[in-house]
Amino acid sequence: MSEEQIAPLVRHLPEELGARILRSWEDIASTIEAARLDQGRLAMLVDACSRSDFVMESLTRYPEWLMAMEDQPALPEVFDRDGMQQLLEARVQACEDEPALMAVLRIFRRQQMVRIIWRDVCNLAPLEETLASMSALADICVEQALNRLYAWAVDRFGVPRDRYGVAQTLIVLGMGKLGASELNVSSDIDLIFAYPASGETDHASKPVDNQQFFNRLGQRLINVLDQQTVDGFVFRVDMRLRPYGGSGALALNFAAFEDYYQNQGREWERFAMIKSRVIAGDRRAGNTLLEIIKPFVYRRYADFSSFQALRDMKRMIMSEVHRKGGNQNIKLGEGGIREIEFIVQACQLIYGGRDTRLQTPALLPVFALLAEEEYLPQEWLVQLREANALLRKVEHAIQGIADQQTQLIPQDTLSRERIAWSSGYENWAALEAELGVQRARVSDIFQQFLREDDDDDTSEQGEESVWLHLWQARGDEEAWCNAFEQAGFEAPGESYALIDEVRHSRQYGVMSSEAKARFEQFLPQLLCVVADGDKPSQTFARVMGFVKAVMGRTVYLVLLYENPGALKILCQLCAESPWIAGHLRKSPVILDELLDAQSLYSPPAKEALQDELRQNLLRIPEDDLEAQMDGLRHFKQSHMLRVAAAELTGKLPLMKVSDYLSWLAEALVEASIEIAWKNLVAKHGRPSDLAAVQDKGFIAVGYGKLGGIELGYSSDLDMVFIYQADNNGATDGERSINNQLFYTRLGQRIIHILSTHTTQGDLYEVDMRLRPSGNSGMLVSSLAAFEKYQKQDAWTWEHQALVRARAICGDAGLIQAFYDLRRDILSQSRDRSALREEVLGMRDKMRAAAIDKYKGEEAARNHLKQGEGGLIDIEFITQYGVLAYAEDFPQLLRWSDNIRQLESLIEQDCFDGIDLHPLMDAYRTLRSALHRKTLAGKGYKASLVDFEETRTQVVRIWRQVFGAE
């Protein structure tokens, strides 16, 4: 190939660069001629060399690589991982010593780097391909080097084994961008070495300790990869992310890892461990190690301490940024790659404990998950994704020039122009303008994401400083009480007692200095917020109950002082309701619900509720029953808070509150059945003889408030379980059991899932006493047995209960069969006089029981529910009406709730002119009072004495219906 043929191809380039390329061609002209590259392919070569000195120098040094490209359909070819791995493995196995191994690895790496950088700088490969190719190249080189070095070490020292004789290999964790499979084109690699357990090698005469064996092996591996030779290097290796950093052992066993991260792991190491992946050695054992470390990285609650850690880390690197080029550093500078990574990783730490899909080392897939769940604004994510793609492309262009690990934008004009070409821009001016726009967007998002409170109102800061000074100066009671009085606290002494109690508590005494600093930042903000409301001492006491509950987990305090709006909502809700204060105290994990006021006060519709729960459970492994149970409890607690907040602020009326609480219970019962079913079927198989239309042959029937769609905040669940399958049949699994036993165990597991107290609290108390024969009956009834009992053995009060019964979930066919049976039973012909006497007799028994329960006739008489003219009287009137007139008016059986049943009785004029309308208003009024009593706690003393007019109307109608006092 003559110079005349090449010269036109470099004419458009800057003179200095064109001359440099021509000089390189002079050295390899004969090889190019032999390769018979056509003018088109030659132009592609010139294009690559104009953008990368590394490509040009490598081809000059190894001109034979050009000959290998003669028959390639693509120039250069797309990376083939399997092919490259086989090629390197064959070369490595032929090496007889370390020098030979080092040469093979370096030449292999250079050849692959030429291909990768060529494709990247010439824009022949998308960003994802370049990142994957680089990561795969590092994986292959590390793994093949380790395999060969391990074999040589075993030949010399024997096989390392644990105390049980199990052979062990070194496990290599890739960290950072390598761990994320997003390695740069000229990046160093962050590694951590581990091995499963202590022990020694099985050498016949000179065994060595496993620690010593793996430390030596690790040292040899680093040397083989990192050392600069005449052939260059493979990868620069950085081991500083290992436990104890540079002062720690090169390789540790699993027990040492667990101890370190449990007791000494620092916040920045949680960020680092997000991007960890097994790249070489025993992958199964390596994944076990990652599972051991995972609880350190991901907390089961929303972890907002990540914000402060992120800020601290950002401050720590600012000095490094200035030393390394300031804003000319596209990784560490303002609006750079590091800020994008920090935002994404913070979200992973905050939400990853609950949303396990976020527990991935790769950055790019997380963008989609953050968008799907709206963890960040959609606009932010679009901008961050675009900026990341551009910055990584520019980073590769900078590094691709000379295969150097740098993120600094070079100062010389030629290098900048080359970077622009490699990034797909016509010139540096165009690229620089776009970089300015993208980095400004990233910086703005970063500042909003990690908003500091430096710009808060000066007067508020002054108030906070007063409280902070009192705390830090250990102010005495007089000083605190004076401050409380000036701030309008109605009970200064009581508020001081809370401060003093915390100061001298064991919880505070054992807190770390970091945790105490968080508390000191939170307390002044809290006192300022409660001082702005009514009864600040009362509100302060309620919030401090929550604070004392989370003193050992100050990340919750971080959430509140990082989100002043959430702190204000917390104080407002606690001021309104001690029930909410107690609910948060028992379940602080739901605190992040306060971050979004719009969703807090707007509970979703039934279908959305069910779908949200289903999506939440999909993120939890099906074989982790404990995690599933905790997930159900967290879901309930979150939504209970939302409905209570919506009711207190008037966003939801009473009937909607009851609807929502009932829907919530239905969704949780249905999910519990699904979990129990899968668990049992995995063990025993499915019951035999289920009809083709049947899924499980099982339904749950709600009674009482659940059946009547009238659940309250503290209601238990009255249920009956019914199945339909051949009692003589058996399940089809290897550990087959009788069908009847299967459904009994199914019922037991459902109750266990619903009622067991876990670390996340309670779900529901389950009451099964309304099943056939009560507590002495079978836990689960077949439809035939249920029908026989209801028709032959049930008492009138059990038919009263059936009036409020409703199938809440299960097989559609079985649900319809239940409703057909319910209609047949409730529409039976009844002697109304006898029915009246039985209903009155049952009511008398309940009154007598209430007198015992509430310690006196007066208290029982005035009880909102049990008292004369109370809720039970309204329910008994309704149930009596349905049982007495359903034979003539089957439409009475359409509904299971009291209000619509009363409406039906009114429409049919079942009581011959008796006006039942006042009962509907009375029922709503008294139920609303019960709700308020629950939310307001002991401070709300409402009884029927406060509703005399309502009571009078109910008693009047009771006497009209039953003709009795």
Side-chain angles (χ1 to χ4, degrees), residues 184-202:
N184 296 335
V185 296
S186 185
S187 178
D188 56 6
I189 56 176
D190 295 288
L191 303 180
I192 291 178
F193 298 153
Y195 60 95
S198 57
E200 64 179 17
T201 64
D202 60 4

Side-chain angles (χ1 to χ4, degrees), residues 783 787 791 812-827 893:
L783 182 65
E787 178 179 9
K791 289 182 175 179
L814 187 50
I815 287 175
Q816 186 57 54
F818 165 76
Y819 280 131
D820 292 343
L821 176 58
R822 175 178 178 270
R823 184 189 62 246
D824 291 344
I825 294 166
L826 297 183
S827 60
L893 303 176

Side-chain angles (χ1 to χ4, degrees), residues 716-838:
D716 56 10
L717 302 185
D718 293 293
M719 289 194 295
V720 169
F721 297 146
I722 298 175
Y723 71 93
Q724 189 173 36
D726 181 6
N727 281 342
N728 295 320
T731 60
D732 58 9
E734 292 184 7
R735 301 173 62 184
S736 179
I737 58 174
N738 175 269
N739 283 348
Q740 187 176 35
L741 177 59
F742 176 91
Y743 284 109
T744 299
R745 290 184 178 177
L746 179 64
Q748 291 169 339
R749 292 192 183 214
I750 294 167
I751 294 171
H752 171 77
I753 292 169
L754 289 169
S755 61
T756 299
H757 184 84
T758 75
T759 56
Q760 295 299 312
D762 299 315
L763 203 53
Y764 292 101
E765 288 293 324
V766 179
D767 191 336
M768 302 293 293
R769 288 176 294 176
L770 289 174
R771 69 184 186 268
S773 302
N775 286 338
S776 63
M778 296 289 292
L779 183 64
V780 181
S781 298
S782 67
L783 182 65
F786 183 80
E787 178 179 9
K788 179 180 178 183
Y789 179 83
Q790 290 290 342
K791 289 182 175 179
Q792 298 180 13
D793 302 316
W795 296 82
T796 297
W797 66 265
E798 291 178 286
H799 286 174
Q800 284 181 249
L802 192 61
V803 168
R804 303 189 72 191
R806 177 175 62 93
I808 59 173
C809 59
D811 288 355
L814 187 50
I815 287 175
Q816 186 57 54
F818 165 76
Y819 280 131
D820 292 343
L821 176 58
R822 175 178 178 270
R823 184 189 62 246
D824 291 344
I825 294 166
L826 297 183
S827 60
Q828 290 175 357
S829 178
R830 286 178 169 83
D831 183 323
R832 289 174 188 164
S833 296
L835 175 63
R836 183 183 296 110
E837 293 305 315
E838 290 184 29

